[in-house]
Amino acid sequence: MSETKSRFVVSADWLQAELGKPDLRVLDASFYLPAQKRDADAEYAAGHIPGAIRFDQDKIADHSTSLPHTIPSPDYFATEAGRLGISENDRIVVYDGIGLFASPRVWWLFRVMGAKNVFVLDGGLDGWKAEGRPLETTVPSYSPARFTPDFDESRVVTLDRMRDIVSSGAMQIADARSAGRFAAAEPEPRAGMRSGHMPGARNLPSGVFANQGRFKSLPELRQTIEDAGIDLSKPVVTSCGSGITAAIITLALESLGHHDNKLYDGSWSEWGSRDDTPIVTGPPTPVKA
């Protein structure tokens, strides 16, 4: 692996050479917003990477809340992962259709649940197809496995903790939503939600971390994050619309060796839907020189 590339991102060449190894599990974690007009389940059925398991982020989630695809309990996650034939000791490669959109969330989820060897496929399924690599339509069947969770609760931020962070400024806030949504110049895609951002938040739109589905180099990632006003020597909490693309920022931070970071799971779906959370509009405050 090049020293300029993330150690958590693997190439299509590498993955194709590893397909079929007994300790490898490939997960199709594709997820799309309505505006993207793509159907993840239909695309999986039409052709996926050989051996890939469909990992539905809306199904393997906490169903006791009205918020979308929030983190499930460790026991429920372990049961579902085991049912799919995945153990915490497997080498897990996650991909999505676009390349770096929804896959980092599942990468983060498995890591926060205790798996150590979790990676994201550079270029995603779109890149894989564009290079004429093999596909299959058969749904793989793996023997049930035992996934023993080791949940790191400290990496997940709740609403109460987020309130404290906003009021105290104890952590930098990196918001992965688009600049328009962040500034309240564009409406939120979910009905009944206020526009704007948390006081003190910096804007790091999720799309700035990749070029055509391929993760930027480490120097480029560093520059992108620092240009947004994030100090990599200080703690960061990531957020987005519903907790999925926030993990792209998390992946970038971890790739750069920044480990003092957390993810706000409820994200704007929670914060923006309430009437008792502070919101500001307009672009972020300019960074002091």
Side-chain angles (χ1 to χ4, degrees):
M1 185 71 70
S2 168
E3 291 183 1
T4 66
K5 294 292 185 181
S6 170
R7 66 186 182 91
F8 300 113
V9 175
V10 297
S11 69
D13 282 343
W14 181 90
L15 179 57
Q16 187 169 345
E18 294 296 305
L19 290 178
K21 299 286 181 64
D23 66 331
L24 181 73
R25 292 293 180 268
V26 182
L27 309 184
D28 183 322
S30 298
F31 166 90
Y32 301 107
L33 297 171
Q36 292 170 308
K37 301 186 185 325
R38 293 178 66 166
D39 185 324
D41 288 334
E43 289 187 19
Y44 176 81
H48 48 266
I49 293 175
I53 303 163
R54 179 80 179 104
F55 189 97
D56 190 327
Q57 302 191 54
D58 283 318
K59 291 180 179 177
I60 303 180
D62 179 4
H63 300 294
S64 69
T65 174
S66 61
L67 296 172
H69 38 251
T70 50
I71 191 168
S73 71
D75 286 345
Y76 179 71
F77 179 87
T79 297
E80 292 301 301
R83 185 177 60 81
L84 293 173
I86 308 165
S87 89
E88 78 279 6
N89 296 316
D90 286 329
R91 290 183 300 157
I92 301 166
V93 176
V94 190
Y95 74 83
D96 60 48
I98 296 170
L100 278 150
F101 178 67
S103 50
R105 165 71 183 203
V106 175
W107 167 86
W108 172 82
L109 183 58
F110 270 90
R111 281 166 51 85
V112 85
M113 288 295 179
K116 305 298 184 188
N117 298 308
V118 195
F119 308 92
V120 173
L121 174 63
D122 213 18
L125 186 62
D126 288 353
W128 185 274
K129 289 179 177 178
E131 294 169 356
R133 297 180 186 273
L135 297 169
E136 69 176 16
T137 56
T138 304
V139 176
S141 178
Y142 296 98
S143 299
R146 180 178 181 83
F147 189 102
T148 303
D150 183 16
F151 180 45
D152 188 354
E153 188 175 7
S154 71
R155 304 304 290 270
V156 185
V157 172
T158 62
L159 174 62
D160 287 343
R161 176 63 178 133
M162 198 68 225
R163 289 185 193 274
D164 291 341
I165 290 168
V166 169
S167 63
S168 69
M171 298 183 75
Q172 300 170 101
I173 304 166
D175 189 328
R177 291 175 303 144
S178 69
R181 290 169 64 189
F182 183 91
E186 299 172 3
E188 286 295 313
R190 295 175 177 84
M193 202 165 294
R194 294 180 295 161
S195 297
H197 58 269
M198 299 171 214
R202 317 306 305 185
N203 192 206
L204 269 167
S206 59
V208 303
F209 295 98
N211 292 317
Q212 297 183 322
R214 301 187 188 282
F215 212 35
K216 287 182 175 180
S217 69
L218 297 182
E220 290 174 314
L221 294 176
R222 180 178 298 277
Q223 191 67 53
T224 296
I225 292 171
E226 291 178 345
D227 285 350
I230 296 293
D231 185 340
L232 287 166
S233 70
K234 297 178 180 178
V236 178
V237 57
T238 64
S239 182
C240 61
S242 62
I244 284 187
T245 58
I248 300 174
I249 305 178
T250 306
L251 175 60
L253 291 170
E254 291 286 330
S255 298
L256 291 168
H258 182 290
H259 306 305
D260 191 1
N261 62 77
K262 307 175 190 294
L263 187 149
Y264 174 29
D265 196 34
S267 282
W268 201 255
S269 293
E270 183 171 53
W271 194 270
S273 65
R274 303 179 65 89
D275 57 12
D276 62 349
T277 47
I279 288 177
V280 293
T281 57
T285 304
V287 181
K288 293 181 181 180

